[in-house]
């Protein structure tokens, strides 16, 4: 069997139904093999390799399977790198296959920049942002490389892998039954289940203001359902990171997401906590602020993460760390919940949390947030949603009311503009369901060519475009820190946008212009076909609340009146304010 045929059969054996890429000379054997297995696996042409990489990310996020993207050598391979970084930082299991010049054409140890046409050392370039990257120089080892790559991508903290395959290896003949494979080993947690139980149980026994903080690790561990079974039984307030806003479906115990652009309630509640249990959250600067010790300053922190390297970056010097798979820790939390009876024990704390939420809920509602809420009314349960990077991303995280079964995917750690549209393609093909792709006028232009992929394959993707004719988030920075020097971010200084209605017409996509609330209606979203829905916003637009660097998370801009700020920070179960709330019927808030 030809090696390229073996690779395709291997992918089919792993249950992969769709792969993404762009043709090139060094992957022609792979393309030929894919063409002969079309009833079992579909190769989708995208119009830029970066978009193919993002589509593979979306496919993996929505399906739970490995995402696969391919590209030829040289510029094809290097164009994948942004998507590879995205997969690495957001823990997305993906396989990237790059073609390479024939082994006899490579420069090897010669002191040359390049020997073969389009020869590029993609392995060295991607080694820092992959879990495994290797050049295959022996056809007889192809099964081992594939086994090892899949094992690395899907075990521990998940992530991308890359196999660089020379053209003569692709076309080499192998005996499948004689190929040697690789058998992986399960990683053991650093603590036993009983030890984990004691740490968490003791923490909750001593706590008056416990909070559960969930991060993207819940999603990458495929533990969302288990988490949502746990939350009402455990009965303590829950907050999340931005890219895990869809992880918790319990509306009464979910207080929003933390961080620089997070909801005020989530940041206040976290600041007032005396125990913070974190599940799969990196707790980077955007989440905890510049002074890490000032994050949840009075809280005992118990951190759960599968990545020991993340735990090495401490938040508090005395935090307790559990290096284990989140699914196994949730099983322990189920045991803890039975004994704690959190809902009864923490009634006073939940009253405080509800009062904080009710005091702050509508404080930062602005036109873009209202538009997100209005669009959300027409997004059905179990739908998949993608966002781009910038103001549109934050508006969605802040204001989209997540319905049961809905999943929201961001470019989190890498923050790559141009992510939403191609990721939506991968999500749509993975789920065979409509996808709702939120974009800004800047991000959509990064991969606008993928409108042709959507049209060609008749994908039911609704593209919601927030158009403020500006790079709004950077424009806001320039207003704050550069005395309104809006260089390259607004039309008067070098940044412009096209006529998106004309663009839609050129691609043959239905177009709807939203200029007022009444323009958002069922008709806009009803057709089972692609559509571009442009929401015009008068520039300038802002994302609020927003944290000024150096301030504690809960003290976001625009600043609260100091009286209200101090009142919320000092609120306790037995305070006069809480007695007034309870006396006024505050029990109903439970």
């Amino acid at each position: 069997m030809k090696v390229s045929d073996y690779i395709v059969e291997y992918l089919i054996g792993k249950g992969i139904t769709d792969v993404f890429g762009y043709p090139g000379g060094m992957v022609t054997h792979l393309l030929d093999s894919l063409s002969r297995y079309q009833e079992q696996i579909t190769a989708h042409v995208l119009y830029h390799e970066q978009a193919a990489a993002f589509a593979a990310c979306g496919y993996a996020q929505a399906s739970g399977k490995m995402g696969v993207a391919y590209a030829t050598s040289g510029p094809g391979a290097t164009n994948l790198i942004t998507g590879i970084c995205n997969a690495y930082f957001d823990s997305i299991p993906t396989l990237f296959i790059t073609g390479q010049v024939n082994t006899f054409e490579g420069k090897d140890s010669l002191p040359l920049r390049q020997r073969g046409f389009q020869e590029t050392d993609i392995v060295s370039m991607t080694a820092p942002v992959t879990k495994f990257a290797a050049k295959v120089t022996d056809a007889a080892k192809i099964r081992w490389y594939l086994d090892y790559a899949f094992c690395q991508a899907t075990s521990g903290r998940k992530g991308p892998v890359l196999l660089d395959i020379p053209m003569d290896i692709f076309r080499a003949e192998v005996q499948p039954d004689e190929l040697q494979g690789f058998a992986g080993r399960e990683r053991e947690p650093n603590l036993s289940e009983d030890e984990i139980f004691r740490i968490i149980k003791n923490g909750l026994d001593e706590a008056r203001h416990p909070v559960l903080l969930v991060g993207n690790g819940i999603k990458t561990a495929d533990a969302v359902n288990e988490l949502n079974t746990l939350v009402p039984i455990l009965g303590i307030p829950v907050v999340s990171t931005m890219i895990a806003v869809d992880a918790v479906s319990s509306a009464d115990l979910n207080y929003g997401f933390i961080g620089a652009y997070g909801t005020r309630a989530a940041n206040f509640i976290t600041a007032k906590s005396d125990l913070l249990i974190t599940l799969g959250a990196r707790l980077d600067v955007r989440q905890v602020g510049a002074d890490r010790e000032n994050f949840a300053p009075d809280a005992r922190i118990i951190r759960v993460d599968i990545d020991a390297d993340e735990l090495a970056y401490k938040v508090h010097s005395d935090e307790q760390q559990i290096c284990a798979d989140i699914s196994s820790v949730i099983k322990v939390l189920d045991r803890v919940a039975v004994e704690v009876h959190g809902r009864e024990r923490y009634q006073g704390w939940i009253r405080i949390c509800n009062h904080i939420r009710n005091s702050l809920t509508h404080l930062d509602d602005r036109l873009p947030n209202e538009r997100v809420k209005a669009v959300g009314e027409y997004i059905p349960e179990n739908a998949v949603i993608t966002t781009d990077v910038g103001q549109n991303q934050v508006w969605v995280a802040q204001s989209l009311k997540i319905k049961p079964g809905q999943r929201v995917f961001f470019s989190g750690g890498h923050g790559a503009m141009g992510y939403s549209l191609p990721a939506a393609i991968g999500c749509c093909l993975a789920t065979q369901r409509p996808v709702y792709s939120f974009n800004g006028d800047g991000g959509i232009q990064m991969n606008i060519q993928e409108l042709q992929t959507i049209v060609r394959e008749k994908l039911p993707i609704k593209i919601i475009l927030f158009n403020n004719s500006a790079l709004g988030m950077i424009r806001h920075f320039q207003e704050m820190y550069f005395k309104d020097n809006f260089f390259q971010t607004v039309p008067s200084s070098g940044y412009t946008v096209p006529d998106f209605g004309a663009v839609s017409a050129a691609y043959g996509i239905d177009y709807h212009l939203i200029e007022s609330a009444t323009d958002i209606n069922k008709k806009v979203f009803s057709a089972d076909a692609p559509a571009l829905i442009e929401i015009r916003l008068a520039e300038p637009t802002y994302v609020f609340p927003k944290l000024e660097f150096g301030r504690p998370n809960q003290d976001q801009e625009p600043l609260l009146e100091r009286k209200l700020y101090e009142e919320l920070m000092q609120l306790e179960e037995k305070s006069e304010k809480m007695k007034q709330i309870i006396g006024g019927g505050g029990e109903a808030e439970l």
Side-chain angles (χ1 to χ4, degrees):
M1 177 183 283
K2 193 166 70 166
V3 165
S4 57
D5 287 345
Y6 180 82
I7 292 170
V8 174
E9 287 201 1
Y10 188 96
L11 298 177
I12 293 168
K14 291 290 185 179
I16 294 166
T17 55
D18 301 87
V19 296
F20 309 89
Y22 194 85
M26 297 301 108
V27 288
T28 48
H29 284 279
L30 181 63
L31 297 175
D32 184 65
S33 296
L34 285 165
S35 75
R36 286 184 280 108
Y37 291 86
Q38 292 183 67
E39 291 186 1
Q40 297 161 278
I41 190 168
T42 303
H44 302 273
V45 179
L46 281 87
Y47 295 94
H48 194 287
E49 291 89 353
Q50 183 193 98
F54 285 154
C57 289
Y59 178 90
Q61 288 174 304
S63 70
K65 301 176 185 177
M66 184 87 100
V68 179
Y70 57 86
T72 193
S73 60
T78 57
N79 279 345
L80 291 173
I81 292 177
T82 298
I84 293 171
C85 291
N86 184 76
Y88 187 68
F89 297 126
D90 284 358
S91 310
I92 303 172
T94 37
L95 169 64
F96 295 93
I97 299 174
T98 53
Q100 188 55 272
V101 300
N102 293 300
T103 54
F104 53 83
E105 292 181 286
K107 66 175 185 176
D108 295 325
S109 59
L110 291 173
L112 305 174
R113 292 191 179 186
Q114 184 185 59
R115 183 183 176 196
F117 173 66
Q118 292 186 333
E119 180 185 11
T120 305
D121 184 2
I122 193 65
V123 170
S124 296
M125 291 181 184
T126 58
V129 289
T130 54
K131 293 189 69 180
F132 173 65
K135 182 178 179 180
V136 181
T137 57
D138 184 350
K141 294 183 179 178
I142 188 61
R143 180 184 168 188
W144 186 93
Y145 277 109
L146 287 166
D147 282 351
Y148 188 76
F150 265 76
C151 179
Q152 287 295 306
T154 58
S155 63
R157 183 178 178 183
K158 297 172 184 177
V161 292
L162 180 140
L163 294 179
D164 190 39
I165 305 178
M167 192 174 190
D168 57 330
I169 300 297
F170 270 131
R171 66 173 179 262
E173 295 288 331
V174 292
Q175 294 289 341
D177 295 340
E178 297 176 6
L179 297 175
Q180 297 297 310
F182 169 81
R185 294 189 300 273
E186 290 291 325
R187 180 185 299 182
E188 294 295 324
N190 68 332
L191 299 171
S192 69
E193 283 195 6
D194 287 341
E195 289 173 313
I196 295 170
F197 178 87
R198 281 195 297 272
I199 289 172
I200 297 175
K201 176 70 162 54
N202 289 342
L204 284 168
D205 282 343
E206 297 173 8
R208 293 170 53 244
H209 296 166
V211 172
L212 185 66
L213 167 59
V214 300
N216 189 48
I218 287 287
K219 294 163 71 171
T220 60
D222 197 21
V224 171
N225 291 337
E226 291 92 329
L227 173 72
N228 283 296
T229 299
L230 166 71
V231 165
I233 302 171
L234 190 61
I236 66 175
V238 184
V239 297
S240 75
T241 62
M242 180 189 284
I243 59 176
V245 292
D246 59 332
V248 182
S249 59
S250 176
D252 60 334
L253 288 172
N254 183 1
Y255 293 89
F257 72 98
I258 64 164
Y261 295 103
T263 55
R264 292 184 190 267
N267 283 326
F268 265 94
I269 289 165
T270 304
K272 291 174 69 66
S273 67
D274 61 5
L275 173 68
L276 189 65
I277 303 170
T278 76
L279 301 178
R282 293 194 302 115
L283 302 183
D284 68 357
V285 173
R286 284 287 183 97
Q287 295 167 346
V288 307
D291 184 353
R292 295 176 73 76
E293 288 286 347
N294 201 32
F295 175 71
D298 300 320
R300 173 183 180 181
I301 296 181
I302 300 173
R303 288 181 68 187
V304 179
D305 204 296
I306 201 167
D307 187 346
D309 293 334
E310 288 291 350
L311 293 173
Y313 186 30
K314 290 186 176 182
V315 179
H316 290 183
S317 58
D318 61 348
E319 67 186 33
Q320 293 177 282
Q321 300 183 341
I322 299 169
C323 187
D325 180 80
I326 283 175
S327 295
S328 65
V329 175
I330 287 179
K331 291 177 183 176
V332 176
L333 279 165
D334 286 333
R335 289 171 51 199
V336 173
V338 171
E339 297 194 20
V340 167
H341 303 296
R343 182 67 95 159
E344 293 79 14
R345 176 180 295 192
Y346 303 117
Q347 281 190 15
W349 171 226
I350 293 172
R351 282 195 187 99
I352 288 175
C353 294
N354 288 344
H355 177 66
I356 290 172
R357 177 166 58 190
N358 294 340
S359 299
L360 301 173
T361 294
H362 300 294
L363 211 58
D364 298 293
D365 279 356
R366 287 171 170 77
L367 180 64
N369 300 82
E370 294 298 332
R371 293 289 186 263
V372 167
K373 289 178 183 177
V375 170
E377 293 295 320
Y378 297 97
I379 300 179
E381 294 183 4
N382 300 310
V384 176
I385 297 150
T386 62
T387 82
D388 216 86
V389 171
Q391 291 181 328
N392 72 93
Q393 176 186 34
V394 183
W395 294 328
V396 169
Q398 289 176 338
S399 300
L400 188 71
K401 184 178 180 181
I402 307 296
K403 297 175 184 175
Q406 288 182 347
R407 301 297 305 277
V408 186
F409 298 118
F410 306 90
S411 175
H414 200 44
M417 291 176 69
Y419 168 81
S420 183
L421 199 62
I425 291 169
C427 290
C428 189
L429 291 165
T431 62
Q432 299 296 306
R433 297 202 303 265
V435 174
Y436 297 78
S437 169
F438 285 84
N439 301 263
D441 53 83
I444 198 170
Q445 292 186 81
M446 295 281 186
N447 278 308
I448 199 167
Q449 73 283 342
E450 300 314 323
L451 292 174
Q452 186 61 34
T453 305
I454 292 170
V455 170
R456 186 191 70 228
E457 304 214 10
K458 299 180 177 64
L459 300 177
I461 296 174
K462 298 294 186 289
I463 303 149
I464 300 106
L465 170 62
F466 285 92
N467 180 11
N468 59 4
S469 298
L471 298 176
M473 195 164 276
I474 307 305
R475 195 214 67 84
H476 190 186
F477 288 167
Q478 291 169 329
E479 179 181 317
M480 292 176 66
Y481 304 118
F482 297 95
K483 299 179 180 178
D484 293 353
N485 181 20
F486 303 132
F487 185 63
Q488 294 189 340
T489 56
V490 298
S492 61
S493 65
Y495 174 81
T496 60
V497 301
D499 178 340
F500 287 106
V503 170
S504 297
Y507 281 101
I509 293 178
D510 285 347
Y511 172 76
H512 304 273
L513 177 61
I514 306 297
E515 294 185 294
S516 67
T518 57
D519 294 329
I520 301 174
N521 53 60
K522 186 176 181 180
K523 181 181 178 182
V524 171
F525 296 93
S526 60
D528 189 21
L532 193 151
I533 300 141
E534 180 183 357
I535 299 176
R536 290 262 179 91
L537 300 171
E539 194 274 330
T541 58
Y542 298 92
V543 168
F544 286 118
K546 180 186 186 303
L547 186 67
E548 183 179 338
F549 191 80
R551 284 186 176 275
N553 271 20
Q554 70 277 12
D555 202 10
Q556 295 165 287
E557 293 187 331
L559 299 179
L560 296 181
E561 292 182 9
R562 293 299 88 180
K563 182 180 178 181
L564 175 59
Y565 178 87
E566 295 299 333
E567 175 190 297
L568 295 179
M569 286 302 295
Q570 294 170 14
L571 206 58
E572 294 290 338
E573 287 95 324
K574 296 181 181 179
S575 67
E576 286 301 315
K577 183 66 178 179
M578 285 309 299
K579 290 177 183 177
Q580 294 172 19
I581 294 167
I582 294 170
E587 297 93 336
E589 293 181 345
L590 288 170

